[in-house]
DNA sequence: ACAAAAGTGTTGACATTACACCCATGC
DNA sequence: GCATGGGTGTAATGTCAACACTTTTGT
């Protein structure tokens, strides 16, 4: 076997981390502390050790910049253009990650000079092929948010329907009819009214709802298909 | 930089090649001529050279076993479990490939002892993690065939509606109502009646249709969304 | 009482399902 | 003329889109 010529590539993971601050869809970026492109903005990520699992590597990256564990992540796609990394052949596997914006502690960051949330649509230029990766992630998020209950990963455990609707509007890039939106929600038994209301602002407080994972799983077993 | 510890992995591509013989959904498998697992059944694939593009590598694999070029392929997913390959860390990027069953010339195969079509549901056990890859591909095909005009990649340029419907039934695993299916088809202006009929069998011949890519692209530009 | 956003129903258009018979051909 | 699968329409139901006013709270 002459496999040595093949075993010369590196594997990395990159995390496209979305958040929602109640107003805009956000993207978590880091200012690189290491070469190449030191000082430029990039997706959080890192090289994967030869014996390291990809999911574990992604978790490590996410923990190191947010201090959080068990963050939602789904494999997005592999990016492998031969010229994407100046140091050699580096194939990267991108993950689409969703987290509760407020729970992230960005001061934790170890491998980034700074870590910062940006509006998805007003982000700095990114290094490598990270623009492509972000575009693919935004597209995937847009496709999946309608057919899977992933929006709840971006909201607090208790959330209001106006929050949920605004999140959908920001992701889909269009406004939705309030009454139609809420009618669909009302059919979803796994979205439960908590009998609580949002802390007062200067107008009518909104009811707080909760996504009940167990009830959703049951419904799914029985053939229910999420759709919004 | 101590990047050498990272640049020790290999990249491979694997192709999940679907076909349709007019009766069943088929999967193209090879009997391995090389170690590891020589003699066992596996997905066609191969290691990628450090300077080789993934798409090109997939095309090379596909050409070498079918003699065909420009076969439909879409990246499915990366599979990267640390223990998936006995020779070391090999990350594989799987492609979902669709081709016209009759056009493949399996005698072309260069790197396989034999190349053979199997019913998707009656396939031999596969090596590595190829079972997982096939499962993911079947799921993806099932999801995508309803929202993208990819079924036509599996049919002859001219095809009949009973053929198309049977293909959908085999992929989705359920029978469809003929009249409802054909009504939806009739709205699709990019599916054109060729004014020809299928070569006679011993009963009424079916009309031949053609998928007009240009018309489909135009409709898509104008906001049309494929759905079946 | 005012400002601000939360919450609530109905109607018409369209899409989906269910369902049964005649048609064209080769033998 | 018979066997075989190809081809066709309608009615009932369900889903989706459009649309405006009342309610609740803090100040």
């Amino acid at each position: 076997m002459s496999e040595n010529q093949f075993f010369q590539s590196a594997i990395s993971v990159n995390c496209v981390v979305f958040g929602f601050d109640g107003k805009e869809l956000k993207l978590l970026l880091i200012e690189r502390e290491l070469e190449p492109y030191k000082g430029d903005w990039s997706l959080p990520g890192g090289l994967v050790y030869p014996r390291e699992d990809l999911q574990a590597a992604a978790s490590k990256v996410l923990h190191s910049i947010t201090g959080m564990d068990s963050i939602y992540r789904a494999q997005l796609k592999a990016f492998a253009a031969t010229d994407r990394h100046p140091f050699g052949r580096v194939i990267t596997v991108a993950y689409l990650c969703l987290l509760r914006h407020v729970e992230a502690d960005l001061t934790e960051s170890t491998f980034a000079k700074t870590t910062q949330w940006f509006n998805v649509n007003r982000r700095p230029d990114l290094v490598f092929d990270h623009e492509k990766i972000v575009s693919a992630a935004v597209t995937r998020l847009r496709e999946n948010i309608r057919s899977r209950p992933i929006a709840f990963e971006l909201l607090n455990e208790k959330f209001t329907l106006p929050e949920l609707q605004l999140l959908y509007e920001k992701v889909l890039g269009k406004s939705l009819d309030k009454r139609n939106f809420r009618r669909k929600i009302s059919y979803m038994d796994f979205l439960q009214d908590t009998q609580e209301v949002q802390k007062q602002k200067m107008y009518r407080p909104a009811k707080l709802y909760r996504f009940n994972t167990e009830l959703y799983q049951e419904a799914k077993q029985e053939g229910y298909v999420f759709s919004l």
Side-chain angles (χ1 to χ4, degrees), chain A residues 35-51:
Chain A
E35 293 295 343
Y37 304 120
K38 183 173 170 177
D40 289 346
W41 289 97
S42 94
L43 291 173
L47 292 167
V48 177
Y49 289 93
R51 302 234 171 116

Side-chain angles (χ1 to χ4, degrees), chain A residues 64-180:
Chain A
S64 75
I65 57 170
T66 65
M68 295 168 68
D69 293 308
S70 51
I71 290 172
Y72 172 94
R73 57 194 157 31
Q75 193 191 118
L76 174 62
K77 202 176 171 187
F79 292 81
T82 50
D83 59 353
R84 64 175 298 282
H85 199 296
F87 289 176
R89 187 70 188 266
V90 181
I91 182 175
T92 195
V93 177
Y95 283 84
L96 193 165
C97 310
L98 305 175
L99 57 78
R100 293 171 230 293
H101 173 269
V102 290
E103 292 178 15
D105 177 6
L106 304 188
T107 63
E108 290 272 339
S109 301
T110 53
F111 66 84
K113 202 185 293 181
T114 43
T115 310
Q116 198 178 314
W117 289 106
F118 287 88
N119 279 4
V120 169
N121 299 321
R122 294 189 191 178
R123 58 181 191 258
D125 289 337
L126 301 177
V127 298
F128 301 113
D129 50 1
H130 290 189
E131 290 292 342
K132 275 188 195 165
I133 299 177
V134 171
S135 298
V138 169
T139 301
R140 180 72 64 87
L141 177 60
R142 210 169 270 167
E143 289 168 358
N144 283 0
I145 202 170
R146 307 193 66 165
S147 57
R148 295 169 200 200
I150 54 175
F152 312 107
E153 303 288 343
L154 291 166
L155 298 170
N156 294 327
E157 197 209 338
K158 296 174 187 175
F159 56 88
T160 68
L161 297 190
E163 282 168 358
L164 182 65
Q165 184 178 341
L166 186 60
L167 172 53
Y168 268 86
E169 291 177 336
K170 291 298 175 182
V171 171
L172 298 177
K174 64 178 182 188
S175 61
L176 301 173
D177 182 276
K178 184 164 48 161
R179 281 177 286 191
N180 295 335

Side-chain angles (χ1 to χ4, degrees), chain A residues 12-32:
Chain A
S12 71
V13 293
N14 276 112
C15 297
V16 185
V17 185
F18 291 106
F20 183 61
D21 65 358
K23 289 178 182 157
E24 294 292 338
L25 186 65
K26 297 283 187 174
L27 181 63
L28 193 57
L29 298 174
I30 66 164
E31 199 180 347
R32 295 175 66 82

